[in-house]
């Protein structure tokens, strides 16, 4: 009895499957009414944030720009408040980053520029046991700051501040032994001297 009932169920399910998949051989009736298709209105897509663009080696983040020397690469610094767009007040240049090595850029000497940076100079000199550096005149600005070590890396943080602007420059001098830069490095000085704000 159970086998018969199971067989009937299988037959009924099979017939309903064939009935549901059957084609319609009738042609649709022709009408004189024109066919009007209504497409949903597309909302305009927001314009993408501009990436820093090089023009004669100058990288422009939006509010601050600087020259990127040969042998250096710049990558956008993402905004702290919205990590989907580049920060218009930040630039970062890396020395010796080869094609395909972008993920290793933080192991390279670099120069970071912050325009109208939040807070004081950037890091607390006493906390890092920093050592003052002599003021440096570059690009019509006087930069003052200090050097310190963090996790085996040697860094310099310096700032130039006026009533209307504040520029903080952080330089990772030595990341890996014998793979460093200095404040006297011509490329470093070119980057800092070329800083323009808009």
């Amino acid at each position: 009895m159970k086998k018969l009932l199971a067989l009937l169920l299988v037959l009924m399910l099979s017939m309903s499957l064939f009935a549901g998949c059957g084609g319609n051989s009738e042609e649709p009736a022709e009408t004189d009414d024109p066919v009007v298709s209504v497409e949903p209105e597309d909302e305009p897509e927001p314009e993408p944030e501009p990436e820093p663009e090089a023009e004669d080696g100058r990288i422009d983040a939006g509010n601050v720009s600087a020259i990127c020397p040969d042998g250096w690469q710049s990558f956008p610094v993402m905004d702290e408040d919205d990590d989907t767009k580049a920060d218009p007040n930040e630039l970062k240049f890396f020395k010796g980053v080869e094609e395909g090595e972008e993920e290793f850029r933080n192991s390279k000497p670099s120069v970071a520029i912050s325009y109208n940076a939040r807070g004081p100079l950037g890091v607390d000199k006493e906390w890092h046991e920093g050592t003052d550096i002599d003021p440096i005149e570059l690009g019509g600005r006087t930069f003052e700051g200090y050097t310190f070590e963090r996790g085996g890396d040697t860094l310099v943080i310096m700032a130039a501040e006026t009533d209307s602007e504040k520029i903080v420059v952080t330089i990772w001098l030595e990341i890996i032994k014998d793979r460093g830069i200095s404040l006297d490095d011509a490329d470093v000085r070119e980057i800092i001297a070329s800083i323009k704000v808009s």
Side-chain angles (χ1 to χ4, degrees):
M1 183 73 174
K2 289 182 186 178
K3 288 183 181 179
L4 181 62
L5 186 58
L7 182 62
L8 284 174
L9 280 173
V10 168
L11 285 174
M12 285 178 40
L13 286 172
S14 298
M15 291 180 70
S16 65
L17 179 67
F18 291 126
C21 294
N24 186 0
S25 61
E26 293 181 23
E27 293 289 323
E30 289 188 29
T31 63
D32 292 333
D33 296 336
V35 176
V36 177
S37 65
V38 178
E39 295 194 20
E41 283 187 36
D42 289 336
E43 290 185 27
E45 290 187 26
E47 294 201 20
E49 288 293 317
E51 296 265 336
E53 295 178 14
E55 179 183 302
D56 298 332
R58 181 166 290 280
I59 305 297
D60 189 346
N63 295 332
V64 63
S65 67
I67 289 177
C68 185
D70 289 339
W72 291 68
Q73 285 196 31
S74 176
F75 297 91
V77 178
M78 302 317 286
D79 191 297
E80 284 182 16
D81 299 325
D82 182 357
D83 65 357
T84 63
K85 64 180 185 175
D87 189 328
N89 297 317
E90 303 273 339
L91 288 170
K92 195 158 186 187
F93 301 93
F94 297 88
K95 182 177 183 179
V97 177
E98 301 293 329
E99 191 72 35
E101 288 186 331
E102 290 82 3
E103 66 270 16
F104 303 112
R105 66 180 178 254
N106 289 329
S107 67
K108 305 288 184 175
S110 61
V111 175
I113 300 166
S114 298
Y115 169 61
N116 282 341
R118 300 173 186 172
L121 187 55
V123 207
D124 183 10
K125 181 177 94 174
E126 283 73 31
W127 191 77
H128 283 99
E129 299 178 5
T131 305
D132 286 329
I133 60 171
D134 292 331
I136 298 173
E137 294 274 341
L138 288 170
R141 297 180 179 93
T142 302
F143 289 89
E144 296 179 354
Y146 54 91
T147 183
F148 67 98
E149 289 197 21
R150 180 178 73 188
D153 300 337
T154 305
L155 291 88
V156 170
I157 292 187
M158 56 189 194
E161 194 167 357
T162 66
D163 292 338
S164 61
E165 71 179 26
K166 177 180 177 182
I167 297 173
V168 175
V169 176
T170 306
I171 306 166
W172 280 261
L173 296 176
E174 188 172 314
I175 302 298
I176 299 172
K177 203 161 194 83
D178 301 326
R179 292 185 74 183
I181 55 178
S182 76
L183 283 172
D184 296 325
D185 187 288
D187 289 344
V188 171
R189 296 178 79 79
E190 178 183 16
I191 292 168
I192 297 168
S194 72
I195 297 171
K196 288 185 182 176
V197 295
S198 49

